[in-house]
């Protein structure tokens, strides 16, 4: 359902952070929320218990934080790698775009028109994102959700290695390149640290 919302978003939806969060909550975040809650239920906790609700909240917020950073990384790559001078519409609704458009009337207009201005270059789009600190603002947005995930479990779970591992996932999800989530890159990074 979230992927459909993302692909069928109207231009005004691409400018709305709440729409983005609802969409992300129905994509990756719903999978992680349901998975985390399922672990609590399989461990014998009631469906509405403090632990089950905390795990569901953790999964949803972690999933949103992950999606924000994933979409931010994808936008950065698209801006660097576009060869035809056009940015795929899917990137118009990415966090750096809607967060930057709040301060950039030019970017807001560009998104509203579907990125179809003939006299506009991707370098101009990237410059407007940079001028409004769009990438940094997107990372801060992701960190807010990662912190909400961390708060959910630290208030409900006792200190343990398992809880610490869940907290590390919050860090990995918000890395500028999500290196910790890439198994082969993670293993190599661990070898270099040893």
């Amino acid at each position: 359902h979230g992927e459909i919302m993302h692909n069928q978003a109207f231009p005004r939806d691409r400018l709305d952070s709440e729409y983005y969060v609802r969409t992300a909550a129905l994509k990756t975040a719903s999978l992680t929320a349901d998975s985390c809650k399922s672990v609590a239920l399989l461990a014998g906790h009631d469906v509405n218990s403090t632990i089950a609700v905390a795990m569901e909240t953790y999964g949803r917020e972690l999933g949103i934080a992950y999606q924000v950073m994933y979409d931010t990384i994808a936008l950065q790559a698209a801006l660097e790698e576009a060869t035809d001078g056009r940015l795929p519409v899917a990137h118009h609704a990415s966090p750096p775009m809607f967060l930057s458009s709040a301060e950039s009337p030019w970017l807001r207009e560009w998104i509203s028109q579907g990125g179809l201005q003939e006299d506009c270059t991707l370098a101009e789009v990237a410059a407007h994102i940079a001028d409004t600190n769009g990438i940094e603002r997107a990372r801060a947005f992701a960190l807010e959700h990662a912190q909400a995930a961390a708060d959910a479990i630290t208030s409900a779970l006792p200190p343990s290695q398992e809880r610490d591992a869940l907290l590390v996932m919050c860090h990995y999800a918000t890395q500028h390149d999500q290196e910790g989530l890439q198994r082969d890159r993670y293993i190599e990074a661990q070898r270099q640290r040893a």
Side-chain angles (χ1 to χ4, degrees):
H1 187 44
E3 196 63 40
I4 293 169
M5 283 179 67
H6 178 79
N7 289 327
Q8 293 183 346
F10 290 105
R12 70 179 176 278
D13 298 329
R14 295 185 190 118
L15 300 169
D16 184 355
S17 62
E18 291 179 20
Y19 185 88
Y20 177 86
V21 169
R22 282 194 313 274
T23 301
L26 292 170
K27 290 168 56 177
T28 305
S30 67
L31 176 63
T32 55
D34 291 346
S35 298
C36 290
K37 187 171 188 173
S38 294
V39 169
L41 298 177
L42 290 170
H45 297 280
D46 290 332
V47 71
N48 292 320
S49 68
T50 300
I51 299 290
V53 171
M55 291 303 295
E56 181 178 32
T57 301
Y58 168 82
R60 181 181 56 255
E61 295 297 330
L62 179 68
I64 293 169
Y66 166 83
Q67 193 68 52
V68 168
M69 285 308 298
Y70 180 85
D71 290 344
T72 299
I73 293 165
L75 172 66
Q76 288 176 292
L79 287 170
E80 291 172 8
E81 298 168 5
T83 56
D84 63 356
R86 301 191 59 83
L87 186 66
V89 173
H91 296 297
H92 294 190
S94 67
M97 296 291 270
F98 67 74
L99 292 168
S100 292
S101 71
E103 293 185 21
S104 171
W106 183 92
L107 192 57
R108 190 170 36 257
E109 181 67 19
W110 186 85
I111 294 168
S112 295
Q113 293 183 9
L116 298 176
Q117 289 93 327
E118 295 288 328
D119 58 345
C120 164
T121 67
L122 287 184
E124 288 177 277
V125 173
H128 280 273
I129 292 170
D131 290 346
T132 57
N133 298 312
I135 301 299
E136 295 82 4
R137 294 172 76 195
R139 181 140 199 276
F141 189 54
L143 288 168
E144 288 175 25
H145 287 281
Q147 186 61 55
D151 292 346
I153 60 169
T154 55
S155 65
L157 299 177
S160 66
Q161 287 181 330
E162 293 80 7
R163 185 180 85 170
D164 291 347
L166 293 173
L167 293 172
V168 168
M169 289 302 294
C170 294
H171 169 71
Y172 288 162
T174 56
Q175 287 177 313
H176 73 281
D177 60 359
Q178 293 182 327
E179 177 182 75
L181 299 177
Q182 310 303 321
R183 184 169 172 74
D184 56 335
R185 292 169 62 194
Y186 171 79
I187 291 169
E188 182 60 30
Q190 293 303 313
R191 281 189 197 131
Q192 291 176 359
R193 288 185 188 127

